[in-house]
Amino acid sequence: MTADLIGVVLLLAVTAYTCAGGTDYGAGFWDLTAGGTERGRRPRWLIDHAMAPVWEVNNVWLIFVLVIMWTGFPVLFQTVFSALWLPLALAVVGMVLRGAGFAFRKPSRRLAGRRLYGAVFAIASVVTPFFLGAAVGGVASGRVTPGTDASADAWANPTSLVFGLVALATTAFLGAVFLTGDARRFDAPDLVGHFRRRALGSLAVLTVLAVVTGFVTHEDSPYVWHGLTHGLGLFFAVVAGAAAVATAWLLLRRPGAWMRVTAVAVVGSAVLAWGMAQRPYLLPTSLTVADAAGAPATLTWLAIVTLVALVFVVPAVVLLYWLDTHGELEELTDSELRGGEGPAGDGTAPGS
C-alpha cells in the first residue's frame, strides 16, 4: 500500500515538473525562433520579464522526482540511469547550459555576448526536453528492463523519437499559452497576437503528434497502447482531449487566466494517462511498483518526509506564482537604481 502511494507521488511530481518546467523550456523554444535582433527584440523582452522571477523554482519538482526514485524505488533508479545514461546526461548538460545562458544573457553589456548566451539558452531549451522525452519513450517501449545494458536501441527507437517530439511540442504549447497571458499582463497587445498564433499552431502540431503516438505505440509499445485505450489511461486521455478543445476555444476569444488552467490540464492529463497506462508497472512489463519498492521502513519515512516537504513547499510555490502573476515581483529598472528610488518610487534609497 505504501509503495503504491509513493508511486502516485512520483507520478504527480513528474506531472508537476512537466507542466512547470515545460513552460520554461517552451519560452526558450520561442526565444530560439523569435528571429533576428530587431524582429526578435520584443518577444525576447517579454520572455526575459516573464521567466526571471520563477524559472529556477520549477526545478524543485525535478529534485522531488530524483529523490523519490533513488529512495523509494532504487531498482528503478539504477535501471533507468544505467540503460539511459546518454540521453539523460545530454539533458542534464542542456539544463546547466540553459541556466547559464539565461543568467548571463541579460547582464552582458556586449551585443556579441548577449547573442552567444541567448543562443546557448535557446538551443539548450530545445535539446533538453527532447532527450527527456526520448528517455521516457525508452521506458514506455518496454526496452528498459532490469539488467539492460546501455545501447542506442533503448532510446533511439520509434517510441522514443515520437515521445521526444511530443515533449518538444508540449513545451512549445505551454510556453506560448503562458506568454500570451504575460503579454496581456504587460499590456503588449502586439505580443498577445504574436504568442496566441503560436499557441494555436503548437496545439495543432501537438494534436497531430498525439495521433501519430497512438499509431506508433500500437506497433512498438503494445502494453502502453492498451493502457491508453482502456480504463484510467483512456479516461485521462479523453480529459486531455477535452482540455485541448477548451484551450483552443479560449485562445480564439480574448485570452484570460482560464486558458492557462486548461493548457496545464492538457499536459497534466496526458502525463497521468501515460502513468495509468503502465499500471502496475514502472517498467513495462518487467518491473512492477511492488517489485521496485525499497524497504517498508524506508517507504514509510519517505512518505512522512514527502508530506512535510509538501506542506512547506507547495504553499511557498503557490505564493510565488501568485505574486508573479499579479506583478509583485517586478525588478527595479536601471534608472531607478541609478536614481536611488525606493520600492515606492518616493526617492528614498533602499535600506534608508
Side-chain angles (χ1 to χ4, degrees), residues 27-351:
F29 177 88
W30 297 119
D31 190 290
L32 178 65
T33 59
T37 303
E38 186 57 33
R39 180 186 172 192
R41 180 178 60 84
R42 290 272 292 162
R44 292 189 178 104
W45 165 83
L46 179 64
I47 289 168
D48 281 344
H49 279 71
M51 285 184 58
V54 298
W55 69 281
E56 287 181 295
V57 76
N58 293 324
N59 287 322
V60 166
W61 307 115
L62 179 60
I63 294 171
F64 264 128
V65 171
L66 294 176
V67 170
I68 293 171
M69 279 185 68
W70 77 55
T71 307
F73 305 103
V75 177
L76 173 68
F77 184 86
Q78 178 185 5
T79 302
V80 169
F81 279 81
S82 296
L84 300 170
W85 71 268
L86 182 55
L88 292 174
L90 292 173
V92 169
V93 170
M95 291 177 196
V96 173
L97 293 178
R98 179 178 180 275
F102 184 75
F104 288 119
R105 175 171 68 173
K106 192 170 183 179
S108 179
R109 296 296 181 182
R110 301 174 68 89
L111 179 59
R114 288 198 297 272
R115 285 178 173 174
L116 173 62
Y117 293 129
V120 170
F121 160 69
I123 294 172
S125 295
V126 173
V127 170
T128 301
F130 176 81
F131 282 114
L132 288 175
V136 172
V139 171
S141 71
R143 290 176 171 85
V144 178
T145 61
T148 299
D149 293 327
S151 67
D153 182 62
W155 60 275
N157 55 73
T159 302
S160 289
L161 177 60
V162 75
F163 270 50
L165 294 176
V166 167
L168 195 54
T170 295
T171 60
F173 165 64
L174 283 173
V177 169
F178 274 72
L179 287 168
T180 300
D182 286 323
R184 184 167 174 263
R185 176 163 62 94
F186 285 111
D187 194 23
D190 59 319
L191 294 178
V192 172
H194 177 90
F195 285 110
R196 176 164 53 183
R197 291 189 297 273
R198 282 152 178 77
L200 288 168
S202 56
L203 179 57
V205 172
L206 185 57
T207 303
V208 172
L209 285 174
V211 175
V212 172
T213 300
F215 286 104
V216 171
T217 54
H218 180 268
E219 299 298 328
D220 197 55
S221 310
Y223 188 87
V224 170
W225 179 83
H226 182 271
L228 289 172
T229 54
H230 295 80
L232 286 175
L234 176 61
F235 171 77
F236 282 111
V238 171
V239 171
V245 173
T247 305
W249 181 73
L250 291 170
L251 284 168
L252 291 171
R253 301 174 71 248
R254 186 182 180 188
W258 278 105
M259 69 178 179
R260 291 185 170 186
V261 176
T262 56
V264 169
V266 172
V267 177
S269 298
V271 176
L272 292 175
W274 160 64
M276 293 298 102
Q278 290 196 175
R279 289 188 312 158
Y281 294 100
L282 291 173
L283 297 175
T285 52
S286 59
L287 187 66
T288 65
V289 172
D291 291 338
T298 301
L299 293 177
T300 300
W301 279 107
L302 180 60
I304 294 171
V305 171
T306 300
L307 178 61
V308 172
L310 292 178
V311 167
F312 286 98
V313 171
V314 171
V317 172
V318 170
L319 176 61
L320 177 65
Y321 288 154
W322 186 91
L323 292 173
D324 178 46
T325 55
H326 286 75
E328 300 293 334
L329 301 177
E330 293 298 312
E331 60 186 15
L332 295 175
T333 64
D334 289 342
S335 60
E336 288 172 333
L337 291 171
R338 293 192 186 103
E341 293 187 0
D346 58 1
T348 303

